[in-house]
Amino acid sequence: MATMAGRYWCSYSSPSAPPPQRQRGPPLQPRHTGGRGRGLRRPSLRAAASAAGEPVKAATDAEFFQPADSRPIMLFDGVCNLCNGGVRFVRERDPGRSIRYIPLQSDSGRKLLRRSGRSPDDISSVVLVEKDRSYIKSEAVLRIMEYLNLPFPQLAAFLKIAPLFVRDFAYDNVANNRYVVFGRSETESCEIL
């Protein structure tokens, strides 16, 4: 990541990554949460082995969540103008920097997608990755809002009244039309302020 006048730019060409560390377990997978969200849990080793046909390895907890820094990670589409604007919006309302940001298209983003039980090439949704759980679509947005300054945690609690299928329907409509309405970045890099 390079710094230019207070702005951070991330590139999708992989810089030399540190050597992979020992994986503690298979990536997270969706589970039924009784209608209370899109919780993800670790599957059995057999399920993870059957899905291992992809060249991208899942991220390990030690790779992204150390005792000194266990902040959640927001995965976003780095070439989407709406998504980059969303990251700017969140950063401005998160003075304690309680969330980290990684573009979905980066090597780290692809590893975290795999850890969350999603395809490494799936850029259809924002994903919030916490140490023990991942959130997608509207659940990710509402969980991110809980980390921000007032009034966003209260607004998130209010919006949770709406059923998940209604929230995800609205989310999918925006996500499916984000390039048409908001456009794409002209460069193959994302700006993180």
Side-chain angles (χ1 to χ4, degrees), residues 92-172:
E92 290 168 4
R93 286 149 185 85
D94 180 22
R97 299 294 185 244
S98 58
I99 299 176
R100 295 178 282 171
Y101 309 91
I102 296 178
L104 290 163
Q105 294 89 343
S106 68
D107 288 340
S108 296
R110 293 168 53 88
K111 286 180 180 180
L112 286 166
L113 276 172
R114 185 110 166 113
R115 177 186 183 270
S116 298
R118 299 181 67 82
S119 167
D121 299 321
D122 183 6
I123 60 168
S124 65
S125 172
V126 66
V127 179
L128 183 70
V129 181
E130 293 179 341
K131 184 171 183 167
D132 298 325
R133 189 171 176 185
S134 294
Y135 301 87
I136 61 170
K137 297 187 179 186
S138 66
E139 284 294 306
V141 172
L142 294 179
R143 185 69 179 150
I144 291 166
M145 289 172 69
E146 292 174 5
Y147 285 97
L148 304 181
N149 285 341
L150 295 175
F152 295 101
Q154 291 77 8
L155 181 59
F158 176 74
L159 292 173
K160 285 184 180 181
I161 294 171
L164 180 63
F165 77 92
V166 172
R167 294 191 321 249
D168 279 350
F169 178 77
Y171 181 93
D172 288 337

Side-chain angles (χ1 to χ4, degrees), residues 27 29 45-56 114:
Q29 293 292 325
L45 289 174
R46 184 174 302 158
S50 66
E54 309 226 356
V56 177
R114 185 110 166 113

Side-chain angles (χ1 to χ4, degrees), residues 77 80 82-83 123-125 141 166-183:
D77 183 352
C80 168
L82 173 64
C83 304
I123 60 168
S124 65
S125 172
V141 172
V166 172
R167 294 191 321 249
D168 279 350
F169 178 77
Y171 181 93
D172 288 337
N173 280 322
V174 172
N176 292 338
N177 295 300
R178 68 188 187 268
Y179 294 136
V180 173
V181 176
F182 298 98

